[in-house]
Amino acid sequence: MPLDQSFVGREYPPMAAYEVGREKIREFADAIGDPNPAYRDIEAARALGHPDVIAPPTFAIVAAMPVINQAAFDPELGLDYSKVVHGEQKFTYSRPIRPGDRLVGVLHIDKIRAVAGNDMINLRAELSTEDGEHVVTAFGMLVARGTAQEQS
């Protein structure tokens, strides 16, 4: 079933805050194999001008994924997740993610289009602190294979 174009422009309610911890940052850096000391050592991070350790750039996906999943599993949208592949991901930062950040995400559906029989949906998760300070925007594109209505 093709995706409903009327969902373009939809904004989902803010998600519960995700609290970032030093240990989670270290675990994530270990998992991606990034040895940068700024992810583990406060003094190394301070030498770079940060008040505390910082998260690797791709860490934002940890907080963004539950936000993005609001659309992926929205029964009204009707995205068949069994046919979904991840098409694209990028992050735009206002500042690095740090321990103690309590990130609140708001999801937007920016675009839905059909390409070669596939539905492509562009999503944007705005992650800010509970005080409203923007930290990062996570852009993602999901492709639902073979679900688009053929154009005649």
Side-chain angles (χ1 to χ4, degrees), residues 7-31:
F7 277 72
V8 174
R10 181 169 285 202
E11 178 181 305
Y12 287 78
M15 296 284 295
Y18 175 89
E19 186 166 343
V20 179
R22 277 190 197 95
E23 187 62 18
K24 194 70 163 180
I25 290 172
R26 186 195 59 74
E27 290 171 353
F28 188 87
D30 288 347

Side-chain angles (χ1 to χ4, degrees), residues 15 28 32 42 61 65-66 76 94 101 127 136 138 143:
M15 296 284 295
F28 188 87
I32 63 171
I42 294 173
I61 198 64
M65 188 55 78
E76 291 181 26
S94 295
D101 281 340
L127 300 178
V136 59
V143 180

Side-chain angles (χ1 to χ4, degrees), residues 60-145:
I61 198 64
V62 174
M65 188 55 78
V67 178
I68 291 169
N69 282 344
Q70 289 179 101
F73 297 105
D74 180 346
E76 291 181 26
L77 176 60
L79 182 65
D80 182 350
Y81 202 72
S82 70
K83 297 180 178 180
V84 168
V85 293
H86 193 212
E88 180 179 297
Q89 186 71 53
K90 71 177 181 177
F91 303 102
T92 303
Y93 278 86
S94 295
R95 66 160 173 82
I97 295 174
R98 300 185 291 249
D101 281 340
R102 292 182 49 83
L103 300 174
V104 176
V106 175
L107 181 67
H108 305 265
I109 295 179
D110 288 340
K111 190 178 193 181
I112 296 174
R113 60 193 158 117
V115 177
N118 304 307
D119 278 314
M120 303 173 90
I121 181 168
N122 290 77
L123 305 166
R124 174 173 42 95
E126 299 285 351
L127 300 178
S128 302
T129 64
E130 289 180 309
D131 296 333
E133 177 190 13
H134 178 266
V135 177
V136 59
T137 301
F139 297 93
M141 191 258 291
L142 303 175
V143 180
R145 295 168 289 125

